[in-house]
Amino acid sequence: MSASNDAIAMARTAALAADEKLASDVVVLDVSEQLVITDCFVIASAPNERQVNAIVENIEDRLRESGHKPVRREGTREGRWALLDYVDIVIHVQHTDERNFYALDRLWKDCPEVPVEGIEPRQLPIDGPADEAGEPEL
């Protein structure tokens, strides 16, 4: 079973909202085959805490305009890894350092990526271990 159309529409709205605030490496993953608790992950990153928070605010604004409200939000105060739970989708906005360290992209690499029109394909490789600087080994 793949992600519902509603979940994909929400995820695309969130991804575009992140992109509006210059998030980097925005990706939507269909995790519905692997998880029963949600359909999609939206993952985005930013180079500093202020931008992480700006991205989170814009995502919440756009989804609120679409009639959606998060059931849980965590990490928004610190601005390092914010998690927004909308039940059907879970949004991770991470500081670039956290994104490189925790490598959610590699953890969920078996899940299909959902294309989002208007967003460039991600630049993070999903295969291979990261070296000490967080760069993937080739």
Side-chain angles (χ1 to χ4, degrees):
M1 185 170 110
S2 62
S4 70
N5 291 335
D6 288 341
I8 290 172
M10 284 176 60
R12 286 181 172 148
T13 299
L16 289 169
D19 188 60
E20 283 177 9
K21 290 297 177 178
L22 305 178
S24 57
D25 299 310
V26 180
V27 63
V28 176
L29 299 175
D30 180 344
V31 296
S32 61
E33 294 287 328
Q34 305 293 325
L35 292 175
V36 295
I37 58 172
T38 193
D39 282 354
C40 293
F41 277 175
V42 177
I43 306 170
S45 52
N48 59 59
E49 291 84 357
R50 176 180 256 174
Q51 191 173 0
V52 167
N53 289 329
I55 292 165
V56 167
E57 286 179 25
N58 201 48
I59 290 170
E60 288 183 310
D61 288 346
R62 295 292 181 259
L63 287 174
R64 190 177 310 109
E65 290 168 3
S66 300
H68 305 287
K69 183 177 176 184
V71 295
R72 183 177 353 216
R73 57 194 311 261
E74 297 179 15
T76 54
R77 187 173 303 165
E78 296 83 14
R80 301 291 296 181
W81 182 345
L83 183 140
L84 303 172
D85 183 354
Y86 285 84
V87 181
D88 290 337
I89 68 170
V90 175
I91 302 161
H92 303 270
V93 182
Q94 300 175 297
H95 189 284
T96 305
D97 294 340
E98 271 68 14
R99 179 125 181 219
N100 290 335
F101 183 79
Y102 290 102
L104 293 179
D105 302 87
R106 284 196 292 270
L107 182 64
W108 297 100
K109 70 181 180 182
D110 293 337
C111 297
E113 191 170 328
V114 176
V116 179
E117 190 173 324
I119 294 182
E120 294 290 321
R122 63 184 167 170
Q123 298 172 7
L124 288 177
I126 58 172
D127 292 321
D131 66 12
E132 289 178 19
E135 296 298 321
E137 295 176 359
L138 300 176

